[in-house]
Amino acid sequence: TQISDNWPGYSLDLFTYPQHYYGDLEYVLIPHGIIVDRTERLAKDIMQDIGDNDIVVLCVLKGGYKFCADLVEHIKNLSRNSERFISMKVDFVRLKSYHNDQSMQDMQIMGGDDLSKLTGKDIVGTGRTMKVLLNNIEKYKPKMIKVASLLVKRTSRPDGYRPDYYGFEIPDLFVVGYALDYNEYFRDLNHICVINDHGKAKYRV
Ligand code: IMP
Ligand code: MG
C-alpha cells in the first residue's frame, strides 16, 4: 500500500475523465477501480476488528464522502453475506482548513450530533485536522474510536498522525479526485490524480 516517491503513475490517456479537466492534471496516481478494491479490503479488516459491536460511522465532509460511502457499502455487503448483522448509523461533520494547497491554522468543525466511534476520512496530510477532530470526539466518551482514512501522506513533519486503517501511503504531493478538492474543484473526478501547474493556476483563489 506504499506508493513510492518515484512512482510515475499512470498516463491520463489510459482512462477517461471529465473533459473540463483536460490539461489540468499531471498523471493518475490511483485509478478509481483500485481505490474501490482496496476499500473493500479495509471494510473486511474493520468488520473483523469490531466484533459484534454496533457502529456509528462519522463521515468527514466534504473530501471523505466518496470513501465513506464506498466503505459503508462494503461493510453492508460483507455483513449481509456473512450473516453477522452489524447495526450502523451514519453521521457527518464538515471540516475546513485548506486554502489553495496549503493547510491553514484555523479549523472549522460543523455538524455531527453523535460524535462517536468510527470515522471515515479522505486523507491524512499533516495530521492536524485529525487531531482536532479526535479531541472533539473524545469528549463524548465513546466505547471505541477507530479512524479509517483512504490516504496517508508521507509528510516530513514529525507529528504525523497514523489512522487505524488506511488505504494507501502516498508521497507528499497535493492530490485531487474521488471527492478530494483543490478549492472545491476536482471532486467530480473518479481517479486520484496529481494536479499540474496549469491546473493550480487556473483554480487558484
Ligand atoms: P491535514 O490537517 O494536513 O492532515 O489535512 C487534512 C485535510 O486537508 C484533509 O482532510 C483534506 O480535506 C485536506 N487535504 C490534505 N492534503 C490534501 C491533498 O493532497 N489534496 C486535497 N486535500 C487535501
Ligand atoms: Mg479540501
Side-chain angles (χ1 to χ4, degrees):
T1 62
Q2 285 217 4
I3 299 176
S4 70
D5 284 342
N6 54 16
W7 163 239
Y10 298 90
S11 161
L12 287 153
D13 299 333
L14 296 173
F15 306 105
T16 63
Y17 63 102
Q19 199 160 345
H20 46 272
Y21 295 135
Y22 285 10
D24 301 334
L25 301 165
E26 198 78 43
Y27 58 87
V28 176
L29 186 75
I30 315 172
H32 181 250
I34 296 181
I35 300 169
V36 174
D37 290 344
R38 176 72 185 129
T39 305
E40 182 175 16
R41 177 54 196 265
L42 293 181
K44 187 184 166 201
D45 294 345
I46 291 168
M47 289 270 294
Q48 232 143 39
D49 295 349
I50 58 177
D52 285 327
N53 292 299
D54 292 346
I55 56 178
V56 179
V57 179
L58 182 64
C59 173
V60 181
L61 297 172
K62 298 178 187 177
Y65 97 88
K66 290 288 293 173
F67 174 57
C68 188
D70 284 346
L71 190 64
V72 165
E73 214 46 45
H74 281 129
I75 292 175
K76 263 165 51 186
N77 290 340
L78 289 171
S79 100
R80 187 161 26 124
N81 295 332
S82 74
E83 311 244 321
R84 249 179 68 207
F85 301 102
I86 293 171
S87 130
M88 259 196 295
K89 289 179 185 165
V90 184
D91 198 1
F92 302 88
V93 281
R94 178 148 179 227
L95 303 179
K96 193 165 165 56
S97 65
Y98 268 63
H99 187 77
N100 290 323
D101 54 359
Q102 295 304 309
S103 177
M104 303 310 281
Q105 279 312 305
D106 59 318
M107 176 115 42
Q108 300 153 260
I109 302 184
M110 294 155 267
D113 39 54
D114 198 359
L115 296 177
S116 50
K117 289 177 183 170
L118 183 74
T119 91
K121 201 168 177 307
D122 55 348
I123 181 167
V124 174
T126 60
R128 234 168 35 78
T129 306
M130 206 55 232
K131 281 182 187 165
V132 172
L133 182 61
L134 282 176
N135 282 339
N136 276 271
I137 296 172
E138 270 151 14
K139 288 181 209 148
Y140 296 84
K141 306 234 179 302
K143 183 169 165 194
M144 190 197 282
I145 307 175
K146 296 282 184 197
V147 177
S149 177
L150 179 62
L151 306 174
V152 175
K153 236 187 246 195
R154 253 192 319 273
T155 56
S156 44
R157 273 158 285 212
D159 62 338
Y161 171 83
R162 281 271 149 181
D164 300 290
Y165 308 91
Y166 63 91
F168 304 92
E169 187 190 280
I170 63 165
D172 195 4
L173 295 164
F174 195 80
V175 294
V176 293
Y178 193 69
L180 284 162
D181 74 307
Y182 175 77
N183 295 330
E184 300 302 326
Y185 289 92
F186 301 101
R187 293 196 202 273
D188 57 340
L189 170 69
N190 275 170
H191 316 291
I192 291 180
C193 298
V194 176
I195 181 174
N196 67 16
D197 290 340
H198 181 263
K200 277 192 190 176
K202 184 168 162 189
Y203 298 112
R204 173 157 284 135
V205 290

